[in-house]
Amino acid sequence: MKIIRTRDYADMSRKSANIISAQVILQPDSVLGLATGSSPVGTYEKLIDWCNKGDIDFSKVRTVNLDEYVGLPKNNPCSYYYFMYENLFKHINIDLANTNIPNGMEPDIAKECLRYDSLIASLGQIDLQLLGLGINGHIGFNEPCDIFRKSTFCVELAPSTIEANSRYFNSTAEIPRHAYTMGIGSIMSAKKILLVVHGEAKADILREVIEGPITTAVPASVLQLHNDVTIVADEGALSRLSR
Ligand code: F6R
């Protein structure tokens, strides 16, 4: 694992955007795996800025998102479709037809999981997968549990995830209890992985991810087995590492 230490969130965002930008410049038809949440927002802001300045061209890029809440339509401001549209897609020259997010409104779980897996397969390998880190060690919505899931599945969100994400909802009752998520297998199949982490609140879990045993209890610890992982994290998030 390559660890890039940054001063703060802004520095983390700029450096991770630089890595994504280099990927797209070197390979304009890259398949990017994307994440939502607070961690990548600053990264997306930089990419938007550079795209508008003509430095990055997203016209040939294809994207595949990690996850989506079950039961939220695209026009719900809390849906991940809405997040991606508002925080990235509508500002850049990407073809929306080339962007992909699980369909949270599909009630047939088996059908949606199969559709998403076929779609991921049809894109070929993900060239660069961007990840945030859950406070409980989740990546995508692969919550701590007994097994690593290979492919897309419908997960029951952990109480800590519901609590962490409650900041986006008016009330806890509104938070969906289930989400569709890419499995650990699909994430690990990406050629390169970029994990962005900020803030002292994630220092303990990030230490476990980097230095702890590889265990389903800390799903992101599986990244130790991938041969091209870059972690861009600020001082706070890296403050509990032993080295
Ligand atoms: C989001 C996702 C999640 C988040 C994680 C961290 O698509 O897959 O794993 O990356 O919950 O969220 P933030 O960045 O809001 O702390």
Side-chain angles (χ1 to χ4, degrees):
M1 286 173 150
K2 204 175 297 165
I3 299 171
I4 298 179
R5 188 178 284 266
T6 69
R7 284 186 302 280
D8 50 22
Y9 182 83
D11 192 21
M12 175 196 84
S13 302
R14 201 168 45 247
K15 287 191 164 69
S16 56
N18 265 304
I19 292 169
I20 297 171
S21 168
Q23 172 68 42
V24 174
I25 290 169
L26 289 168
Q27 190 190 329
D29 64 348
S30 289
V31 177
L32 300 180
L34 298 178
T36 61
S38 59
S39 307
V41 169
T43 304
Y44 293 154
E45 280 170 7
K46 284 286 152 206
L47 292 175
I48 291 166
D49 185 26
W50 298 338
C51 179
N52 290 332
K53 285 179 175 148
D55 291 337
I56 324 172
D57 175 13
F58 285 94
S59 62
K60 296 195 182 74
V61 168
R62 291 162 299 156
T63 66
V64 59
N65 262 76
L66 286 163
D67 40 22
E68 177 62 283
Y69 288 115
V70 168
L72 295 193
K74 286 178 174 182
N75 62 359
N76 184 309
C78 292
S79 76
Y80 285 171
Y81 178 91
Y82 195 95
F83 176 99
M84 289 309 302
Y85 186 70
E86 289 298 320
N87 288 288
L88 184 63
F89 298 152
K90 82 171 183 189
H91 305 285
I92 60 175
N93 67 332
I94 197 161
D95 181 350
L96 279 181
N98 287 338
T99 66
N100 300 285
I101 301 180
N103 176 9
M105 292 306 284
E106 174 54 67
D108 186 334
I109 294 174
K111 185 176 161 198
E112 179 56 13
C113 293
L114 204 64
R115 181 193 75 83
Y116 211 60
D117 284 338
S118 314
L119 184 131
I120 295 168
S122 74
L123 292 172
Q125 224 180 337
I126 294 173
D127 293 295
L128 178 64
Q129 175 67 56
L130 175 64
L131 297 174
L133 178 65
I135 204 79
N136 62 0
H138 73 212
I139 43 177
F141 274 140
N142 290 269
E143 303 283 32
C145 70
D146 297 337
I147 52 165
F148 288 130
R149 304 289 292 254
K150 278 194 282 199
S151 43
T152 305
F153 66 107
C154 181
V155 63
E156 182 175 356
L157 298 173
S160 62
T161 300
I162 291 172
E163 196 194 318
N165 291 0
S166 63
R167 62 193 194 274
Y168 298 112
F169 293 83
N170 293 326
S171 74
T172 321
E174 281 179 26
I175 309 173
R177 268 34 187 181
H178 293 86
Y180 286 115
T181 182
M182 259 164 63
I184 290 287
S186 303
I187 294 172
M188 290 292 281
S189 299
K191 284 187 200 162
K192 295 179 194 154
I193 292 179
L194 172 61
L195 175 68
V196 290
V197 193
H198 69 101
E200 249 187 272
K202 290 190 181 162
D204 284 328
I205 193 68
L206 186 58
R207 186 194 58 225
E208 286 188 53
V209 168
I210 297 171
E211 298 181 350
I214 296 163
T215 164
T216 55
V218 181
S221 63
V222 75
L223 297 176
Q224 292 179 37
L225 296 175
H226 194 283
N227 63 10
D228 196 342
V229 174
T230 302
I231 299 176
V232 182
D234 71 359
E235 297 284 0
L238 292 169
S239 58
R240 308 263 156 76
L241 289 197
S242 65
R243 57 200 149 89

